[in-house]
Structure formats: structure tokens, C-alpha cells
Amino acid sequence: MTAGRDARASAGEVAEALGDVAALDGFFVLRTGVAEDGPTAPGRGGRLTAECFTGLARQVTDRYATDEARIGVSIAHLGLAARLWSPVLACTLIHGIVPDLSTLEWIDGGPAVRLAHPAGRRVAQVPRLADAVYEEVIAALAAVESDLGVKVAPRLLDGNIASALVGSAAVLLRARPDLRTALTALTTELLGRGRLVGTGRITGPALTFRRRSCCLYYRTPGGGKCGDCCLND
């Protein structure tokens, strides 16, 4: 550890970093702090749990007018993964801080999330950066995957996580092309970790991607195929 430099970033530093990257795109917004009116009422928000997530998934199922519950679960899961990868990647590479996602909570029962107690580690003090980033995001997603209420193929969920990772990285690359080398390296390393192994491959310098599973969006009324879908082959 570097002398005189704590491995933990202060709450203020993490909140400031997250506030800065929020300007990049809507999915990079990760608000911080507890709700102004105290603990969130049941059914309107709360910690990232499987119970809260299934409520969100039902909303997505209804929005897309499908009778397949697994489609709503998959699309909601993909969206949540993007909301986690985006600010984490940006904070890591722009501000040198890996946010601690252990106090994530829903905001008013919708898809947006908030970090109730901002905390994080300094990149310079993290021995294996890809492992640290991977573990934060995967742990948060595992909390909502523990009881989805409907059977969804595990590799579909893994593919969602990979698709969200590379999609978030591509958006960040367009906003900050100066990060290309570090961003491409980190994204590639993450695809070689745990659940992401074998989920797909990067197909071009703009971080285009081809996944090996399908998020099921094409099964919604009027739905088409995503740009990285395996069914495009």
C-alpha cells in the first residue's frame, strides 16, 4: 500500500465521482444517500432483493404485453446489469475508484437504483482490478437472482451480464475515446472472469459484441433482435 494513502475512498469522494460520471448517459446515473423521507415504504423500493426484483420484472412483462414471465425477468435483469456496469466502469477508469455496491437499493419500486452509503476502493490499491470490479457487480446481481419466481436458463442470465458489460463499455468509449486502451483491456479481462467466460466475444474496435445466448426480447409483440444477439448469425 502506498504510504499515507488509504485504500478506501471517502464517502464524499465516491459520491463526487458518481455525480461526475452521471453526466455521461442515463445508465451511468447512480444516486447516493438514503431517501430524504427515511426508509422506503414496502413495495416502493428497498434493498436489492429478489422479492423487489420480481415486482420490477412483472412491470416489464406488462409493459411489453407478453404472457411469458421469463421475458420480463430477462429484460429487467439486462437493464439492471447495465445500470451497475456503467457507473462502476466509469468511476474505475475516470476517477480511480471501484465503488462498493453492497448498500444498493431500489428507488420507488422502479428500475433506478441508489447507493445508500457510498464507499469504494482506490484502483491504485487493488491488486487484481478485474476481479474487484467483477465481484462488486456479480454480488449485486446474485442478490436478485436468488429467487426469480420463474425458470430462466442460467447462461441466459450470464449472457445478459456480458451484453450489459460490453454495451456499457461501448457507450463509455464513445464518450471518452481517450480511455480506449484501458477500457478495452478491462472489458476483455472481465469477459474472462467466472460467469462471463464463454458468453460471447468482442467483434470490433468500437467494442461491438456477439453473445452466445438470447435475452428473449425478440419474443415480445413487435420485438426484434438486439444488435449482439446470437440469432443474427
Side-chain angles (χ1 to χ4, degrees):
M1 180 180 295
T2 304
R5 186 80 167 160
D6 191 2
R8 305 295 299 185
S10 70
E13 289 175 304
V14 177
E16 183 177 358
L18 288 170
D20 177 62
V21 303
L24 293 170
D25 181 85
F27 278 87
F28 288 79
V29 176
L30 179 55
R31 283 183 271 175
T32 59
V34 297
E36 293 182 2
D37 55 354
T40 310
R44 297 183 62 240
R47 298 294 291 274
L48 254 66
T49 63
E51 181 181 7
C52 291
F53 177 77
T54 54
L56 174 63
R58 284 193 293 270
Q59 294 176 25
V60 175
T61 301
D62 292 343
R63 185 182 314 132
Y64 284 95
T66 175
D67 57 3
E68 290 190 72
R70 65 185 182 129
I71 295 177
V73 167
S74 177
I75 295 174
H77 179 266
L78 179 59
L80 175 60
R83 289 181 184 278
L84 301 184
W85 282 123
S86 297
V88 169
L89 289 175
C91 278
T92 296
L93 295 177
I94 296 174
H95 292 281
I97 295 173
V98 181
D100 179 339
L101 302 183
S102 61
T103 63
L104 280 171
E105 58 184 29
W106 302 108
I107 299 177
D108 294 335
V113 290
R114 164 176 52 224
L115 197 57
H117 302 289
R121 288 173 285 173
R122 301 185 193 282
V123 167
Q125 309 302 322
V126 175
R128 293 179 294 277
L129 181 58
D131 287 344
V133 172
Y134 173 87
E135 288 163 7
E136 290 294 342
V137 174
I138 294 299
L141 289 170
V144 305
E145 294 169 349
S146 61
D147 184 8
L148 296 173
V150 63
K151 186 174 181 180
V152 180
R155 288 304 275 173
L156 182 156
L157 299 176
D158 297 342
N160 283 350
I161 299 171
S163 176
L165 162 64
V166 185
S168 297
V171 174
L172 180 55
L173 177 60
R174 289 194 292 271
R176 290 291 303 269
D178 57 303
L179 297 175
R180 176 181 297 278
T181 299
L183 179 58
T184 301
L186 179 57
T187 304
T188 302
E189 285 186 62
L190 287 165
L191 288 173
R193 294 293 187 277
R195 294 174 58 180
L196 303 187
V197 174
T199 52
R201 60 188 176 85
I202 294 174
T203 58
L207 294 180
T208 49
F209 186 64
R210 179 57 54 88
R211 60 184 287 179
R212 293 196 172 100
S213 61
C214 174
C215 73
L216 305 179
Y217 173 69
Y218 82 99
R219 294 180 64 87
T220 62
K225 297 173 185 175
C226 302
D228 65 357
C229 185
C230 63
L231 299 179
N232 288 323
D233 290 331

